[in-house]
Amino acid sequence: MKPIDITVYFDASLACNLITRRSITGIVVFLGSIPMRWHCKKQNTFETSTYGADIVAGRFGVKAVLEFRYVLRMLGVPIIGLTRMLGDNMSVIQNYSLPGSQLKKKHNAIAYHRIR
């Protein structure tokens, strides 16, 4: 049986809401080349940098993937391999890849360890 690959694209738009100045997260989950799930939500926290907003977006992406993999497993679809998470902020991606990264905000540190 051919392994199924899952890819997640995530991004955040920093302070794009003109009234509240909250960031908006966007996520798309692909099963192979087919988009299976997408999500767009205003973030609950106020971020002052694109780095922090993308960390929160990555956390939403991980949550969406865990739920999606659970549904596939319950339907009897074998999941073999890792999920690829892709974003446009290089510093966020490098921080996800490096163990022992230091983050100053508690919710970002929790999000980082959840993604790792």
Side-chain angles (χ1 to χ4, degrees), residues 23-27 38-44 60 63:
S23 302
I24 293 183
T25 295
I27 297 163
W38 68 274
H39 187 73
C40 184
K41 181 184 177 190
K42 189 180 348 178
Q43 293 182 358
N44 295 331
F60 283 129
K63 181 181 175 190

Side-chain angles (χ1 to χ4, degrees), residues 8-22:
V8 179
Y9 294 93
F10 66 92
D11 195 16
S13 178
L14 179 68
C16 66
N17 188 319
L18 297 176
I19 297 170
T20 63
R21 288 298 179 191
R22 289 192 182 176

Side-chain angles (χ1 to χ4, degrees), residues 44-114:
N44 295 331
T45 59
F46 293 96
E47 298 298 331
T48 57
S49 67
T50 57
Y51 176 81
D54 279 338
I55 286 275
V56 174
R59 186 186 73 214
F60 283 129
V62 167
K63 181 181 175 190
V65 165
L66 290 176
E67 292 171 359
F68 187 63
R69 288 176 72 104
Y70 178 77
V71 168
L72 289 176
R73 203 170 29 250
M74 291 296 114
L75 292 173
V77 178
I79 304 296
I80 302 169
L82 301 174
T83 300
R84 288 183 291 166
M85 303 244 345
L86 304 172
D88 66 344
N89 193 326
M90 195 61 170
S91 61
V92 170
I93 293 169
Q94 287 177 346
N95 245 355
Y96 288 161
S97 304
L98 299 173
S101 295
Q102 298 291 322
L103 298 171
K104 297 185 191 268
K105 291 185 179 179
K106 190 174 187 178
H107 66 274
N108 285 347
I110 292 169
Y112 165 77
H113 288 292
R114 177 78 171 160

